[in-house]
Every structure is written in C-alpha cells, then in structure tokens.
C-alpha cells in the first residue's frame, strides 16, 4: 500500500503514539531506516517526563543533554503532532486508520504504542500527608526545585537540617493495588540525597527503605558514594505514618527493623519516592486495540523474553514504560529494538503487498 | 586438634535444624498470608500494644519462621487484637488471625 498521507514517499508510514523517550527514540530509528513517521504527543511539547527531570542517575548529568540528543535525532521524515490524542483506530484491509481528537484522519501501515507511564499520585497514601502537610513533597517536586535553581528550603524558607526520603511510595504496596517494584526510585532517592548534600553539607539525610534495589551498572557504586563521601544514612524500615509538628516539621513513625524497635524521627522536609503507574490513556487504547493487560495493569507483549515489542495483533507494536517501569537507558534500548522489529515487519508486508 | 575453647552458647544460637516448625506449618495451612511478609516493620511501627510494652509483631513473625516457639508464647498475650497492623501492611498479612492461629497451635503443643 502506498502511503495515503504522503504520496511522494517510498517508505511505509508508522504512527507512534507518545512523544516521550520511547517515542522519540523509535521515531528517529525508523526514519533512519527509511520509514515515514508521524509522532503524536498529547502535551504541547515532545519530551515526556524527561522535560521535568533536572539531572539523571547514575552520573548526575543534566537531563536536557539526553533530551536534546533524542530531539536532534528527529529528521524531516518525522512529522510531529503535539497537543493531539488518538480518539480511535480502525483496522483496514492493510494498515490502520487513526482518527485524532481533532477529527483528522490519518493512515498508517503500522502502529507503535509508546504511551509511557504516570507517576503515582501520592495523595493516595494519606498516611504520608502529601497535599496535607506542607513539607511533604514528591521526588518529582524535588526535581522541579532542582531545576528552578532556587536553594532547597522548607515551605517557609528555612534551610532544612534533616531531610528524609521514603522509598516505595505507591509501589510494592497491596493497599494501593501495586505489587510491583518501580525499579528506578531507589537510585533516584540516592541521587537526590547526594544532590541535597552537595547544596547543604550540614544537613542530615535519611533514606527509609525496605530493600535498596541498586541493580544496574554504577548504581551500587552510587550507594557506596552516598555513604562514604556524603554520609547519608539508610534506615531499614517502612514509614508507617507521618504527622506534622507545630513548626511544620514532620515526625515519622517507623520500625528500625535492624534493632527491632519502634523509632520516632523528625525531619524538616520529607521526600516521597513515587513510583510508576500505568496511564489511563494506555489502558483505553489497550482495550480499543485488544492488547492484553497484566495483573499490574501494564501492557503484555506477545512474549516477555523474545517478542517484547510485539503484540498478538500484526502491525501493532509496543515500546517503553507502558510495559512496566524502566530506566531511560533501558527505554532507549527497548524503543530501538521496537524500531528494528517494526521495520522488519514493514519489509515483510512489502513482500506480501508490493 | 587444639581446643581453642570456642563454643556457641546454646541460647544464642537459632538451631534451625532442630527447631520445631509445627506452629509454622499450622500457620501456613490456616493463615497463609504470613508467607508473604517482607519484614518491613510497618506493623510494629504502628502497633498499639508496642507503644507501651516490649512487643514486636514483626519480630513475632520472624521468630515463627525460624521455629523459635518458646519466646512466642509470652508474646501472644500482649496483642490487643486491634487490627491497626493489618491496615498498614503492604503485603496484606492478616496479623490478628495469625496471632489467634499461633495461640491455637501452641496450645495444641502443650
Ligand atoms: S526501586 Fe526501590 S523504592 Fe522503588 S519500588 Fe523498588 S524497592 Fe521501592
Ligand atoms: S492487632 Fe495486635 S499486633 Fe496488631 S496493631 Fe493491634 S495490638 Fe499490635
Ligand atoms: S507490615 Fe506486613 S510485610 Fe511489613 S513486617 Fe508487618 S507483616 Fe510483614
């Protein structure tokens, strides 16, 4: 089938839904392979969560470096449509008709879902007081503070003497229905603790954890650096509840499981390390396109080990964190793999429908 | 062989090979949610009884798993069965029922 959107092109057309790290990566790889790409992004700008992240683990490089390199790789064969969402997809005898919210209709030979994730809504863990106590913030809020370049202070402008990080907020918790580990929050917490210490060498820093999952290259070394160079404390226990003092500091209740005793500790600022949750938009598209969803509500590829970008439906592929939590590096690797699989698929249909 | 005089004092040692796992087996059958505990300590931190007396519900579970039955018996009396621990557990362990099941099982052993 010739591309009805672009009669001059020789390549096939792929519509990518989602312009974050996965979508941008796959778009540039597919363009390099000679395909036409339409990248649909619901926000006003492509970039996804990376737009809101100041520095990246494990080396604390600025997030914009990675963002710029992904954006710069997008060539003219990638048509970017921002502030657009897909309202429906209608399968054709070959390929798909995609109808946008704006009622515009597009045609493509294949679809790639790169819809990403949402951050867990911390107000759902009421016992931690997010949205109630002014000095309880999330890891995303802290990144925005870093990005603003303003000094780190409490809500009323005081320099914090003690800062705590709560691990696993919204992850590994059946009470919020998320049994899975979000994989990146441990290392994010350690990175952010170091960054606070860089700014405030006098501050006392605490991570409250159940397990520290430093699984990837350079992560464990970062944990070592946090202890050795920055004197950051790690206290093994899950915060069970928080309360606000009259001076807006936060008092935590926790079991210090390594001494087997309940422990009370006051912090000036409490950072909740929020995890990944599936996007409602992904689930809507999944039900529209009949793509299976796991117990964790992330998308199920055709085969977890060997066909991790395929779905059971020919021409529909998956990339990135709509399949579960991933680091940026792993998202880029996954989306690159998706692009290759997609390109291969497009060549196969070329042979069958020249 | 030179005797350096090192011995492990019996009461310091958890003798996992000899310990009695019957209570644990009873629990696995009657309150299998105990299998999923990740020792996070949320229950202990929030426990009503633990605020006043030396009582650690998380430790009770750990001892149970190791087959350390003797120290458990006295602990069972300290729980007020208020259920706060169940509200905070990230793994959905039903500790109230666990306590009752431990009591039933240890009574049977007498
Ligand atoms: S990465 Fe760490 S903080 Fe995040 S869910 Fe997993 S264990 Fe918890
Ligand atoms: S039910 Fe027992 S163990 Fe649980 S919080 Fe109440 S007193 Fe503590
Ligand atoms: S709260 Fe649940 S998972 Fe945590 S230590 Fe207690 S029983 Fe185990």
């Amino acid at each position: 089938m010739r591309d009805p959107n672009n009669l001059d092109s020789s390549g096939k057309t792929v519509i990518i839904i989602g312009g974050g790290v996965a979508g941008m990566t796959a778009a540039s790889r597919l363009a390099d392979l000679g395909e036409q790409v339409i990248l649909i992004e619901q926000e006003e700008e492509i970039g996804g969560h990376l737009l809101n992240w100041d520095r990246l683990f494990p080396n604390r490089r600025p997030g914009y470096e990675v963002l710029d390199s992904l954006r710069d790789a997008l060539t003219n064969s990638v048509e970017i449509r921002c502030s657009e969402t897909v309202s429906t997809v209608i399968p054709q005898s070959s390929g798909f008709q995609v109808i946008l919210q704006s009622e515009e209709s597009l045609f493509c030979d294949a679809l790639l879902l790169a819809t990403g994730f949402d951050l867990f809504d911390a107000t759902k863990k009421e016992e931690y007081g997010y949205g109630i106590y002014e000095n309880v913030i999330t890891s995303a809020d802290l990144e925005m503070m870093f990005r603003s370049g303003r000094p780190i202070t409490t809500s009323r402008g005081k320099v914090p003497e003690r800062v705590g990080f709560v691990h696993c907020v919204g992850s590994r918790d059946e009470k919020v229905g998320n049994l899975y580990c979000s994989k990146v929050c441990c290392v994010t917490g350690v990175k952010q603790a170091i960054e606070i210490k860089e700014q405030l060498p006098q501050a006392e820093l605490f991570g409250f954890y159940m397990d520290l999952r430093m699984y990837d290259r350079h992560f464990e070394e970062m944990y070592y650096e946090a202890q050795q160079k920055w004197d950051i404390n790690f206290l093994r226990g899950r915060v069970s509840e928080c309360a606000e003092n009259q001076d807006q500091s936060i008092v935590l209740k926790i079991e210090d499981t390594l001494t087997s005793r309940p422990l009370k500790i006051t912090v000036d600022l409490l950072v909740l390390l929020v995890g990944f949750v599936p996007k409602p938009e992904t689930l809507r598209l999944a039900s529209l396109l009949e793509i299976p969803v796991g117990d964790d509500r992330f998308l199920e590829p055709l085969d977890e080990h060997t066909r991790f970008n395929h779905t059971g439906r020919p021409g529909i592929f998956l990339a990135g964190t709509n399949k579960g939590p991933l680091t940026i590096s792993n998202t880029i690797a996954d989306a690159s793999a998706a692009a290759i699989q997609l390109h291969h698929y497009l060549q196969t249909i070329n042979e069958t429908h020249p | 062989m030179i005797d350096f005089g090192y011995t492990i004092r019996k009461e310091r040692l958890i003798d996992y090979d000899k310990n009695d796992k019957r209570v644990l087996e009873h629990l696995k059958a009657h309150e299998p949610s105990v299998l999923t505990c990740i020792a996070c300590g949320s229950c202990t931190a929030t426990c009503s009884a633990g605020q006043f007396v030396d009582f650690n519900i998380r430790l009770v579970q750990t001892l149970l798993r190791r087959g350390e039955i003797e120290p458990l018996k006295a602990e069972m009396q300290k729980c007020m069965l208020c259920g706060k621990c169940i509200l905070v557990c990230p793994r959905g362990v039903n500790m109230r029922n666990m306590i009752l099941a431990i009591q039933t099982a240890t009574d049977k052993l007498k």
Side-chain angles (χ1 to χ4, degrees):
Chain A
M1 173 173 116
R2 279 181 63 82
D3 173 14
N5 304 300
N6 186 344
L7 295 172
D8 300 328
S9 79
S10 54
K12 301 269 176 183
T13 300
V14 180
I15 290 183
I16 300 181
I17 307 175
V21 171
M24 290 188 291
T25 304
S28 64
R29 302 281 192 276
L30 281 164
D32 290 347
L33 292 163
E35 313 297 354
Q36 297 291 315
V37 178
I38 303 173
L39 184 60
I40 297 172
E41 167 56 47
Q42 63 179 18
E43 301 297 330
E44 288 169 13
E45 193 184 345
I46 55 167
H49 291 275
L50 195 43
L51 289 166
N52 305 322
W53 233 252
D54 185 49
R55 286 194 279 165
L56 309 179
F57 59 77
N59 52 8
R60 308 202 285 289
R61 75 186 292 192
Y64 67 77
E65 281 183 17
V66 172
L67 185 59
D68 287 350
S69 103
L70 294 176
R71 265 196 305 226
D72 293 348
L74 297 171
T75 59
N76 290 337
S77 325
V78 180
E79 184 186 330
I80 300 168
R81 299 288 191 91
C82 289
S83 308
E84 269 292 10
T85 51
V86 169
S87 62
T88 195
V89 176
I90 305 163
Q92 306 290 297
S93 57
S94 92
F96 304 90
Q97 180 184 11
V98 174
I99 301 172
L100 302 180
Q101 210 70 55
S102 57
E103 292 182 3
E104 187 182 352
S105 180
L106 300 168
F107 290 88
C108 65
D109 300 284
L111 268 177
L112 176 65
L113 264 58
T115 43
F117 66 96
D118 278 340
L119 287 168
F120 175 74
D121 172 8
T123 59
K124 287 188 179 159
K125 288 295 298 172
E126 229 173 285
E127 60 269 44
Y128 294 158
Y130 184 69
I132 306 169
Y133 308 142
E134 51 192 72
N135 284 311
V136 177
I137 63 172
T138 66
S139 39
D141 298 333
L142 183 59
E143 279 307 313
M144 291 309 271
M145 272 193 208
F146 288 142
R147 260 194 56 151
S148 73
R150 279 181 276 116
I152 300 297
T153 63
T154 64
S155 56
R156 308 210 175 169
K158 177 178 169 259
V159 175
E161 286 166 23
R162 196 184 276 155
V163 182
F165 285 84
V166 184
H167 285 243
C168 308
V169 177
S171 315
R172 306 182 66 196
D173 184 358
E174 70 120 51
K175 292 291 187 294
V176 297
N178 300 337
L179 209 55
Y180 55 84
C181 161
S182 287
K183 281 167 77 177
V184 304
C185 12
C186 271
V187 62
T188 297
V190 173
K191 180 203 77 127
Q192 293 185 330
I194 292 176
E195 288 174 292
I196 290 186
K197 224 25 202 187
E198 281 178 324
Q199 270 194 42
L200 306 171
Q202 303 304 320
E204 245 189 316
L205 275 279
F206 281 87
F208 304 106
Y209 72 99
M210 299 190 273
D211 303 282
L212 278 177
R213 298 196 162 160
M214 296 294 170
Y215 62 95
D216 216 342
R217 188 161 179 222
H218 304 311
F219 289 11
E220 189 67 21
E221 289 87 334
M222 217 178 138
Y223 173 27
Y224 184 81
E225 180 191 332
Q227 296 179 294
Q228 189 212 34
K229 180 169 174 195
W230 303 103
D231 189 20
I232 291 163
N233 302 284
F234 293 92
L235 203 151
R236 193 188 175 282
R238 179 172 172 274
V239 175
S240 83
E241 53 194 294
C242 306
E244 191 181 51
N245 291 316
Q246 267 187 334
D247 65 355
Q248 286 79 42
S249 61
I250 308 291
V251 56
L252 315 179
K253 256 179 157 179
I254 189 165
E255 184 199 351
D256 177 10
T257 59
L258 302 180
T259 63
S260 293
R261 287 169 62 194
L263 180 143
K264 183 191 95 166
I265 183 169
T266 304
V267 298
D268 299 305
L269 192 61
L270 187 68
V271 184
L272 308 181
L273 297 169
V274 285
F276 285 46
V277 291
K279 276 179 106 78
E281 177 64 0
T282 305
L283 297 173
R284 185 184 69 87
L285 289 170
S287 94
L288 189 69
L289 301 171
E290 293 168 357
I291 296 167
V293 171
D295 288 342
D296 56 5
R297 302 170 337 279
F298 287 103
L299 302 183
E300 291 288 9
L302 191 56
D303 182 308
E304 199 172 335
H305 296 101
T306 61
R307 311 272 278 173
F308 45 84
N309 298 118
H310 289 75
T311 64
R313 301 204 49 185
I316 304 180
F317 291 78
L318 309 175
T321 52
N322 52 20
K323 293 182 291 169
L326 288 175
T327 62
I328 290 174
S329 325
N330 290 350
T331 303
I332 291 175
D334 186 69
S336 305
I340 305 267
Q341 308 281 344
L342 241 160
H343 175 64
H344 179 73
Y345 168 80
L346 293 171
Q347 287 191 319
T348 336
I349 56 166
N350 242 345
E351 284 154 20
T352 41
H353 311 275
Chain B
M1 209 168 86
I2 305 166
D3 182 1
F4 288 101
Y6 294 142
T7 49
I8 301 174
R9 286 167 55 95
K10 190 141 193 347
E11 55 274 30
R12 292 288 306 144
L13 174 80
I14 294 175
D15 191 344
Y16 195 79
D17 299 333
K18 294 220 180 91
N19 272 1
D20 186 349
K21 316 292 191 326
R22 282 177 295 171
V23 179
L24 179 61
E25 290 312 317
H26 178 84
L27 264 287
K28 284 183 183 175
H30 293 95
E31 189 44 62
S33 69
V34 298
L35 290 171
T36 62
C37 172
I38 46 177
C40 73
S42 300
C43 47
T44 297
T46 214
C47 173
S48 316
Q51 308 300 315
F52 304 107
V53 294
D54 180 15
F55 172 56
N56 184 329
I57 180 68
R58 195 263 315 148
L59 189 58
V60 163
Q61 300 213 41
T62 315
L63 291 169
L64 171 73
R65 276 165 183 266
R66 304 293 180 264
E68 290 285 287
I69 305 307
E70 271 319 301
L72 283 188
K73 292 180 183 164
E75 294 305 295
M76 293 306 92
Q77 309 309 318
K78 298 178 185 167
C79 169
M80 316 192 290
L81 298 176
C82 71
K84 267 187 82 184
C85 48
I86 303 175
L87 292 177
V88 294
C89 175
R91 284 297 182 102
V93 177
N94 185 341
M95 275 147 283
R96 214 158 30 176
N97 205 30
M98 173 189 87
I99 300 261
L100 295 173
I102 294 175
Q103 254 161 358
T104 312
T106 46
D107 285 351
K108 268 198 225 159
L109 291 182
K110 275 178 195 162

